[in-house]
Amino acid sequence: MMKSLIINFAYYLDTSSSYQKTKRFFYNLLENSDYKYKKYFDIFMIILIFSSVAILIREVKSHVNDSLLFFNNYVISFIFLIEYILRLWISSSVSKIIISQLEHDVMLSDTFRFSKALKDILFSKLKYIVSVKAIIDLLAIIPFFHQLRLLRIFILFRVFKLFRYAKSIQTFTSIITAKKFEFFTLFIFASIIIFVSSVIIYVMEANNPNSSINTLFEAVYWSIVTISTVGYGDITPVSAEGQVVAMFVIISGIGVFSFTTSLIVTSFTEKLDEIKDLKVIDDIAKIKNFYLVCGYEKVAKEVVQKLSKRNKVIILEEDIQKVEAAKKEGFTALNYDPGSIHSYKKLRININLQVKAILCLSHSDVENVYTALTIRSFNKDIFILSILKNKANRNKLNFAGVNEIFYEKELVGIIAKEFVGQPVAFEAIHALRSNITNIDIEEIIVNDRILQSFSTVGCLENIKYRIVLLGVYESSKKRFLFNPIDSTLLEKGDYLVVIGNTQFLKEFNTHLHTKVSK
Amino acid sequence: MKKSTALIFGYNEYTFEIEKNIKSVYEHIYILKLGSDGEDSFDLSDNWDSLNQKVNIDDCVAFCILEDMAENIFLTISLRDTFKDLTIVALSEDQESADKLKLAGATRVIPSTQTTANVIIDILEKPIATEVLHNILYEKSNLKISQITIEDHTLFDGKYPTDIEWSRDHGIIIMSVYHEDGSSEFIYSSKASHHIVQSGDIFVVVGYDEDIKEFEKLIGTKCEK
């Protein structure tokens, strides 16, 4: 009876959308660094931590207002307690453990072993409770029992909670952790030196009436102060033997100090690129509507250079030297293989929401086919453009799901024909394309605002604005009307294809969007 | 004057694409490979006697499309040095080699990387305008781009190009004007009109084939299409 109640309740929790939604919300708020509201929560907690420490410092020598003390001892502690409980809640799913155990037992035609499920639940929760971060959280709540004066020092544990909220501290910790073996070796070396020198200095100096080293504790204190190269000078050896030991400790201290410094510097240098990449990945997660360029070679360089004037562009390139070259040009480039699904997962790019189009611009058809297939394997809709280097591979790119294939040699052939056939016309189009004479071609979408004032082509007044209206693209009929007559009706979604001086085009665009009534 | 022979220097994938596209324009097309063997080959030795024997160089256009840019530049210099009036169309990889090819004497340089990049960007940023332009330029629709030389300016009675109702009266759109002195301007390049239609002006027009023919009859000039 009890077991069936528990199973039903577990299934209820697992299938309840409101419960799961609430749990997901708290998970995002506390753990998901991509969640947009997490940073506000983190800032709030950091403020609480600093105000708590500020009150503690103030309290040492001055009287602190009772309401502030109440706030510090109860309100902040209570908030931390709630946070602790929430973290314990989201650390594992009780309902999932029960259901998993049940399904396992059913599969083996066994009766449901609640005790095993309970054991797993306790183990998972205990695992969280004994983690360093959870212990710090718990200690930060202790000042709640402020009557015990000693326990008030636990307020300082609240400072350690900063590890949870400040990403830079987490990065620093991870860098230091990566070198834990080296640090451990250093620690052992320093400990041996301290131990040996403390014992020797104690033996040499303790019985000397002129020496200030009388106890082993003082000897250890002197060793640590000396080896750390701090050297207060409050305790100094007076015997010649003691001074020899001091010289030995000082020299060892220099070694320990330089070793520590070099370890930290090396860790940072080794991790610097990784840290920078992580920062870029975080930044990319916030960008919307960018072009993803896969491969960085000659064509890609030109495309990115021009495209990045008006758009955000991210480059993925497997070759580190090419990545460096792209970075030198001031582009955002990442050393990831564009042909690997893992790269996109690691970069946390939401292709549907963030990417405008994907450009496969590697000079190898094999790589472009591979990249296109990789992207198509998890996204069917994104627009993919690829260059083609060998004509024989066109079908392969088509098969890989590329929307637009661009064959450079074919373009050169067509240009050659235009040039020999109509050199002047060719020059005119070339000038228009490359915008070298400030003349540009633009397409202006007809929206509600334009339609309010301009219902027909005749109303547009393009001649007055020194603009050539080449034609209107009718979206509903998917056809281009060249040189339309004045009475042509405009419809929402149509495109005006116009040519003109860049400045005149701007003025014309403003005219279309600002004229409300005639 | 239109030339009847095309000389393509270089044997690669560009060769076939260029040959495919220009075979309707030229009566004879010669493809010449770099090397010393065979009749259809050339070397970079500055000796063009065999070529001179084979073709009338004054009636030729040369396409220098060697993939090695250093060799392509050397070939261009060599041709220009020998044939002062030869029209040379050269393929360049990037802006740097384009500049060198111009210095070497190429009449026209096709910068392949830049052009590719420009078209890719147009496809992404202005898909409709690009499609319209491509249809006009590569004759995929009835729309054509033509250059029309004005032989008798009196027909336009001292008017400015912008004053003439080209689109309403003749169904064509004027894009730009090339003057006899070699200067050019977009039809609406500035707010004020400076230039009266004169004999020798070349108008670059866009329109349907039949409208262009009608216009051609009107001004009595043969259009180049």
Side-chain angles (χ1 to χ4, degrees):
Chain A
M1 177 66 185
M2 185 66 179
K3 277 183 184 177
S4 97
L5 264 175
I6 289 168
I7 290 165
N8 285 338
F9 189 63
Y11 271 112
Y12 168 75
L13 288 182
D14 204 49
T15 53
S16 163
S17 60
S18 58
Y19 173 80
Q20 293 300 339
K21 205 175 157 185
T22 314
K23 192 168 181 177
R24 202 162 42 245
F25 168 75
F26 283 114
Y27 174 81
N28 286 334
L29 194 68
L30 297 168
E31 297 290 349
N32 184 1
S33 52
D34 289 337
Y35 187 56
K36 59 180 175 181
Y37 297 117
K38 187 181 187 294
K39 65 177 173 195
Y40 300 113
F41 173 76
D42 290 351
I43 291 168
F44 171 69
M45 296 303 274
I46 288 169
I47 291 169
L48 284 187
I49 290 165
F50 279 115
S51 46
S52 182
V53 175
I55 293 167
L56 174 74
I57 294 165
R58 175 91 183 146
E59 203 186 354
V60 175
K61 289 219 166 183
S62 319
H63 173 71
V64 176
N65 193 308
D66 286 346
S67 56
L68 269 180
L69 281 178
F70 178 81
F71 174 74
N72 196 23
N73 295 328
Y74 295 103
V75 178
I76 296 181
S77 301
F78 185 69
I79 293 169
F80 287 171
L81 178 66
I82 299 284
E83 188 208 1
Y84 182 80
I85 294 167
L86 286 172
R87 283 189 192 277
L88 186 65
W89 177 40
I90 61 159
S91 65
S92 58
S93 170
V94 174
S95 59
K96 276 201 167 43
I97 294 171
I98 293 171
I99 291 168
S100 157
Q101 183 61 42
L102 174 75
E103 285 173 353
H104 178 262
D105 292 341
V106 168
M107 195 183 73
L108 297 174
S109 308
D110 213 344
T111 51
F112 173 55
R113 288 178 299 164
F114 177 64
S115 56
K116 173 81 171 56
L118 191 66
K119 205 173 130 190
D120 288 347
I121 292 165
L122 287 175
F123 179 75
S124 69
K125 294 294 178 195
L126 205 63
K127 197 177 161 192
Y128 171 76
I129 290 167
V130 297
S131 66
V132 178
K133 283 181 176 179
I135 291 170
I136 291 171
D137 285 347
L138 191 68
L139 292 174
I141 302 165
I142 289 179
F144 190 75
F145 310 100
H146 66 289
Q147 286 82 358
L148 297 169
R149 190 162 176 82
L150 181 69
L151 291 182
R152 283 165 58 190
I153 205 68
F154 282 99
I155 283 180
L156 285 178
F157 273 92
R158 291 179 176 175
V159 177
F160 290 117
K161 272 171 77 68
L162 284 174
F163 282 90
R164 275 203 187 281
Y165 312 114
K167 209 165 182 179
S168 50
I169 300 178
Q170 286 172 13
T171 312
F172 182 77
T173 319
S174 75
I175 289 168
I176 300 299
T177 317
K179 290 275 174 188
K180 62 183 171 192
F181 174 73
E182 287 85 343
F183 278 109
F184 182 70
T185 312
L186 182 69
F187 174 75
I188 296 291
F189 172 73
S191 302
I192 291 169
I193 301 281
I194 291 166
F195 176 73
V196 172
S197 59
S198 305
V199 171
I200 296 174
I201 204 84
Y202 178 69
V203 171
M204 302 292 176
E205 297 272 318
N207 290 326
N208 191 328
N210 296 328
S211 172
S212 45
I213 300 169
N214 297 313
T215 62
L216 186 64
F217 175 78
E218 283 170 344
V220 173
Y221 168 76
W222 171 85
S223 286
I224 292 172
V225 167
T226 310
I227 204 168
S228 66
T229 72
V230 172
Y232 289 126
D234 52 344
I235 299 173
T236 49
V238 289
S239 66
E241 296 86 350
Q243 283 163 346
V244 170
V245 175
M247 284 188 266
F248 167 70
V249 177
I250 288 165
I251 292 163
S252 308
I254 294 167
V256 170
F257 183 74
S258 17
F259 190 28
T260 312
T261 315
S262 70
L263 259 185
I264 293 173
V265 173
T266 319
S267 317
F268 265 97
T269 318
E270 281 172 7
K271 284 255 181 180
L272 200 62
D273 287 340
E274 204 179 308
I275 294 166
K276 278 183 185 169
D277 272 3
L278 285 174
K279 172 86 176 67
V280 174
I281 291 170
D282 278 351
D283 291 345
I284 289 171
K286 292 170 199 157
I287 305 173
K288 279 185 181 167
N289 280 332
F290 63 83
Y291 286 106
L292 192 64
V293 173
C294 303
Y296 185 75
E297 278 164 271
K298 279 181 182 169
V299 174
K301 187 182 170 186
E302 284 288 332
V303 170
V304 175
Q305 213 159 36
K306 292 182 162 82
L307 210 54
S308 54
K309 283 178 189 164
R310 286 193 197 174
N311 302 279
K312 287 271 176 194
V313 183
I314 311 289
I315 302 162
L316 293 189
E317 169 59 60
E318 211 180 352
D319 185 339
I320 185 71
Q321 285 177 331
K322 290 175 187 168
V323 172
E324 290 305 321
K327 283 181 179 171
K328 266 186 194 166
E329 294 286 336
F331 307 138
T332 310
L334 293 163
N335 186 210
Y336 283 87
D337 177 8
S340 158
I341 293 181
H342 183 67
S343 302
Y344 301 93
K345 280 185 184 160
K346 211 169 174 189
L347 290 169
R348 306 197 307 268
I349 295 175
N350 186 333
I351 290 196
N352 275 337
L353 293 178
Q354 290 180 278
V355 181
K356 261 180 162 176
I358 292 175
L359 317 181
C360 303
L361 304 182
S362 165
H363 284 200
S364 153
D365 288 338
V366 177
E367 281 178 27
N368 287 336
V369 167
Y370 196 63
T371 302
L373 265 179
T374 304
I375 294 157
R376 276 290 171 255
S377 69
F378 61 88
N379 191 297
K380 305 285 174 211
D381 306 319
I382 189 74
F383 179 84
I384 304 178
L385 180 148
S386 173
I387 54 169
L388 172 69
K389 297 306 278 186
N390 186 339
K391 209 175 179 179
N393 294 326
R394 186 183 283 273
N395 282 345
K396 295 179 188 84
L397 279 171
N398 269 324
F399 189 74
V402 173
N403 302 85
E404 185 84 39
I405 298 168
F406 201 84
Y407 186 45
E408 182 189 317
K409 279 125 192 165
E410 185 180 47
L411 180 74
V412 169
I414 293 168
I415 289 173
K417 181 193 175 185
E418 284 305 318
F419 174 67
V420 294
Q422 307 179 83
V424 174
F426 175 81
E427 286 297 337
I429 294 285
H430 177 67
L432 194 61
R433 265 244 161 86
S434 50
N435 194 15
I436 46 177
T437 47
N438 273 336
I439 305 298
D440 206 358
I441 184 162
E442 263 194 26
E443 48 192 54
I444 301 169
I445 187 162
V446 177
N447 54 23
D448 286 328
R449 192 168 173 82
I450 293 177
L451 272 183
Q452 276 174 12
S453 319
F454 311 98
S455 55
T456 62
V457 167
C459 311
L460 293 172
E461 298 176 309
N462 56 297
I463 301 290
K464 185 180 154 192
Y465 283 85
R466 323 280 296 170
I467 295 296
V468 170
L469 176 68
L470 199 63
V472 176
Y473 179 79
E474 295 181 314
S475 294
S476 56
K477 294 170 191 155
K478 292 195 172 168
R479 65 170 186 183
F480 179 68
L481 276 183
F482 169 73
N483 193 14
I485 55 171
D486 285 354
S487 58
T488 307
L489 284 172
L490 293 172
E491 280 179 31
K492 189 181 170 187
D494 287 351
Y495 286 88
L496 308 174
V497 180
V498 290
I499 302 172
N501 181 297
T502 318
Q503 187 56 36
F504 298 166
L505 279 171
K506 270 186 197 164
E507 288 173 13
F508 183 59
N509 218 330
T510 313
H511 156 72
L512 292 183
H513 287 89
T514 51
K515 191 171 177 183
V516 178
S517 60
K518 283 194 267 184
Chain B
M1 197 184 82
K2 275 212 165 178
K3 312 284 170 78
S4 67
T5 306
L7 304 169
I8 304 177
F9 292 90
Y11 190 78
N12 48 45
E13 284 187 67
Y14 290 105
T15 314
F16 304 117
E17 289 300 328
I18 291 175
E19 190 210 5
K20 191 175 86 185
N21 280 284
I22 62 170
K23 63 184 174 192
S24 60
V25 183
Y26 296 100
E27 286 171 34
H28 310 287
I29 297 173
Y30 293 95
I31 297 170
L32 303 157
K33 289 183 202 172
L34 179 63
S36 52
D37 305 331
E39 203 183 315
D40 295 331
S41 64
F42 70 98
D43 55 27
L44 301 171
S45 66
D46 252 6
N47 183 356
W48 299 106
D49 292 346
S50 60
L51 185 68
N52 260 327
Q53 285 165 9
K54 195 190 289 182
V55 295
N56 172 15
I57 210 78
D58 294 332
D59 194 28
C60 290
V61 171
F63 292 89
C64 300
I65 52 165
L66 296 177
E67 284 186 300
D68 183 318
M69 277 305 121
E71 286 177 346
N72 211 31
I73 291 166
F74 193 84
L75 170 68
T76 309
I77 287 185
S78 175
L79 284 171
R80 178 55 70 229
D81 188 39
T82 316
F83 311 112
K84 303 290 177 206
D85 301 321
L86 179 67
T87 303
I88 303 171
V89 181
L91 180 74
S92 83
E93 215 170 44
D94 47 33
Q95 193 53 48
E96 192 186 325
S97 46
D99 293 341
K100 286 176 188 164
L101 282 164
K102 277 179 196 161
L103 284 173
T107 319
R108 170 76 197 163
V109 178
I110 302 173
S112 61
T113 309
Q114 276 176 309
T115 315
T116 306
N118 284 344
V119 178
I120 287 175
I121 286 160
D122 283 349
I123 290 170
L124 295 169
E125 298 285 274
K126 305 167 188 171
I128 291 164
T130 306
E131 200 186 332
V132 170
L133 269 191
H134 278 208
N135 287 342
I136 295 171
L137 197 58
Y138 309 140
E139 296 176 8
K140 287 181 182 171
S141 69
N142 292 331
L143 279 174
K144 302 253 181 307
I145 185 160
S146 291
Q147 50 195 61
I148 298 172
T149 310
I150 304 295
E151 285 175 1
D152 183 8
H153 68 273
T154 52
L155 279 169
F156 300 98
D157 198 23
K159 283 183 179 169
Y160 295 106
T162 48
D163 294 339
I164 305 163
E165 292 277 357
W166 306 92
S167 57
R168 284 200 184 87
D169 300 345
H170 310 294
I172 56 169
I173 289 178
I174 301 260
M175 300 254 296
S176 49
V177 187
Y178 281 71
H179 309 307
E180 225 175 3
D181 60 3
S183 62
S184 68
E185 61 176 325
F186 175 66
I187 184 80
Y188 294 139
S189 55
S190 63
K191 289 208 172 179
S193 302
H194 301 294
H195 183 83
I196 295 167
V197 180
Q198 285 175 355
S199 301
D201 284 351
I202 303 172
F203 285 156
V204 176
V205 303
V206 179
Y208 287 110
D209 209 13
E210 52 270 34
D211 290 330
I212 294 176
K213 278 179 186 156
E214 281 294 316
F215 186 67
E216 182 188 299
K217 274 184 205 165
L218 179 83
I219 61 167
T221 309
K222 179 76 185 156
C223 305
E224 287 179 51
K225 282 175 276 184

